[in-house]
Amino acid sequence: MKRKMTVLWSLVLSCSFLPLVQGENKKPSEKRYVIIHADDAGMSHSVNLATIEGMQKGIVSSASIMVPCPWFKEFAAYAKQNPEQDFGIHLTLNSEWKNYRWGPVASRDQVPSLLDEENYLWDNVGQVMQHVNVKDAEKELRAQIERARKFGVPLSHLDTHMGAVVSRPDLLEMYVNLGIEYQLPVLFVNNLDPKKYGVIAEKGKQLKEVLEKNGLPVLDELVQFYGEPDYEKRKQAYLEKIRELKPGVTQIIIHCGFNNQELQNITHSSSRRDGDRRVFTDPAVIKEVKDLGIEVITWKEFHEMAKQKLAQAE
C-alpha cells in the first residue's frame, strides 16, 4: 500500500489494559470515548458505498471527504441529505496513486507550488514538505472547504490526508488557524513526544492551548492499523486495540472499501479497506464495544464537550 505517512499521524498507540467495567459505573474522568472515523470518502465509488454502509449499518461515527477527488460529488450529495451524521474535510495536498491522480480545487495558476511535473498534486508527503508554499496551501485548503460548503456538506471538523498538512510547523499553524476561523475542530493529538516529533511537537504544545482557548477539542489518543490483510486477524487486532483504550477520547482511523475491480485498479489496499468495512459493521464487534462500556461519539459531540468544558472553566 503506497502510503508514506508522516510519523505524526501514523501513530498506533499502545495502551495499558483496563478492567472491562460498564461505562455507567465509571467516574467521568474514567470514561472511554471513541470516534470511529472513516477517511477518504469521495476517493472512489467503492469507498463511498462502503463508507455509507459503515455509517448506516455499523458503528462508523464520522467520515472525512477528499474534495479534490473525482467521486466527491457523489458523497457530498449523501452528506447533504443526511445532516444528522458527521462529516469533515480530509484536507488534501497530495495525490499518491500511480494511475489515479487528482489536482487542486483552486485554479492551478493560483497554487503553482502544489503541482508536480504532470500538473497533479505532489505524490507524497516528503514532496509536499519540500516544495509547497504555505500561502499556496492555504489557498487550496480554503478552496476545498468552500467547495464542500457550496455543495451543502454539513461540516463538523477538519483533518488531513496522510498527514501532509501537519508535516511542517508553518503548515500545522495554518491548519489550526483555519479551524479557529471556521470554528471547526481539527484532528490534533495531545502530548506528542518532543524526542520523536521535534519541532512539530513543540509547535503542537503552543497550538493545543490556542485550540482549547477557542473551545476546540484535542484528542487524547489516535489509533491506526494498516498491516494485516487477513480478515480474522485484522478483526482481532482491532478488538485488542479497542479493549485497551485509555480513558478520554480516542479516534480510530479506518479506510472503508469494497474489494472490487474499481478499488483494485486504484490501490493494493482494497482487501484491507474491505476488511475495515466488515469489522465495523460486524455485530460481534458492535456488541463488544457496547459491552465494554465504550461510548462511540462524533466530532460534533466531541466539539460540544470541549465547549462545555471551556464554559465551566470561565
Side-chain angles (χ1 to χ4, degrees):
M1 177 180 180
K2 189 180 179 186
R3 282 192 167 265
K4 305 167 186 173
M5 292 289 296
T6 57
V7 289
L8 180 58
W9 303 112
S10 63
L11 303 175
V12 180
L13 300 169
S14 300
C15 308
S16 58
F17 184 78
L18 292 169
L20 306 184
V21 181
Q22 292 293 337
E24 60 267 23
N25 296 325
K26 294 183 178 182
K27 298 176 182 178
S29 61
E30 297 175 337
K31 188 72 183 279
R32 293 184 287 173
Y33 300 92
V34 66
I35 300 170
I36 310 293
H37 189 276
D39 279 2
D40 295 359
M43 189 186 97
S44 72
H45 183 55
S46 168
V47 168
N48 286 351
L49 293 181
T51 302
I52 291 167
E53 180 175 294
M55 299 186 86
Q56 290 185 338
K57 298 181 180 179
I59 52 172
V60 176
S61 60
S62 183
S64 59
I65 308 168
M66 298 178 74
V67 179
C69 291
W71 284 89
F72 158 74
K73 184 178 177 181
E74 178 185 60
F75 199 86
Y78 172 78
K80 182 179 180 179
Q81 293 163 10
N82 294 272
E84 75 284 357
Q85 294 185 352
D86 197 75
F87 307 103
I89 298 301
H90 203 44
L91 296 170
T92 302
L93 290 177
N94 68 298
S95 174
E96 71 273 22
W97 308 116
K98 182 179 179 180
N99 294 316
Y100 184 66
R101 308 293 306 282
W102 48 81
V105 171
S107 174
R108 280 174 163 81
D109 63 336
Q110 295 295 311
V111 290
S113 71
L114 273 58
L115 304 176
D116 68 8
E117 63 278 2
E118 296 179 341
N119 243 12
Y120 296 112
L121 295 177
W122 292 105
D123 174 85
N124 60 67
V125 173
Q127 291 173 329
V128 170
M129 293 175 68
Q130 181 180 355
H131 296 288
V132 166
N133 178 293
V134 69
K135 291 183 179 180
D136 288 357
E138 183 175 349
K139 287 179 186 176
E140 172 59 19
L141 300 187
R142 285 184 183 278
Q144 291 179 22
I145 295 167
E146 292 301 329
R147 182 168 174 80
R149 294 173 70 180
K150 181 179 178 180
F151 275 79
V153 177
L155 296 179
S156 65
H157 68 286
L158 305 173
D159 61 30
T160 165
H161 182 52
M162 295 177 65
V165 181
V166 297
S167 61
R168 290 193 332 231
D170 58 339
L171 293 173
L172 178 62
E173 184 170 9
M174 178 267 293
Y175 166 64
V176 166
N177 286 338
L178 283 176
I180 292 168
E181 178 182 337
Y182 283 96
Q183 272 300 287
L184 292 171
V186 299
L187 176 63
F188 206 92
V189 185
N190 195 13
N191 294 328
L192 293 172
D193 184 351
K195 293 181 180 178
K196 290 184 179 181
Y197 307 113
V199 292
I200 294 293
E202 290 302 318
K203 191 71 175 176
K205 287 181 181 179
Q206 303 167 22
L207 295 175
K208 172 182 178 288
E209 295 181 5
V210 174
L211 286 168
E212 290 177 338
K213 287 178 181 177
N214 282 275
L216 298 178
V218 175
L219 290 165
D220 296 296
E221 304 282 358
L222 183 67
V223 171
Q224 295 186 83
F225 176 69
Y226 283 110
E228 181 54 61
D230 178 82
Y231 173 72
E232 287 300 328
K233 291 179 180 177
R234 192 170 186 83
K235 175 180 171 179
Q236 290 307 313
Y238 274 123
L239 285 171
E240 287 175 14
K241 291 296 180 185
I242 289 167
R243 291 166 188 149
E244 295 169 353
L245 292 180
K246 293 179 180 178
V249 181
T250 299
Q251 176 161 292
I252 299 177
I253 295 178
I254 66 172
H255 299 82
C256 293
F258 284 96
N259 190 17
N260 58 18
Q261 191 65 56
E262 180 205 27
L263 198 55
Q264 290 168 14
N265 288 340
I266 295 172
T267 170
H268 295 300
S269 69
S270 58
S271 63
R272 292 191 289 273
R273 290 171 183 259
D274 189 81
D276 283 0
R277 172 189 62 82
R278 292 171 61 194
V279 168
F280 290 96
T281 57
D282 187 322
V285 174
I286 296 170
K287 182 179 185 299
E288 178 135 9
V289 170
K290 183 177 179 181
D291 290 347
L292 290 169
I294 297 168
E295 185 173 343
V296 180
I297 63 171
T298 64
W299 271 97
K300 286 187 283 192
E301 290 170 319
F302 192 22
H303 192 185
E304 285 302 315
M305 290 162 61
K307 288 192 286 188
Q308 290 173 15
K309 183 179 178 180
L310 181 63
Q312 291 169 0
E314 291 176 346

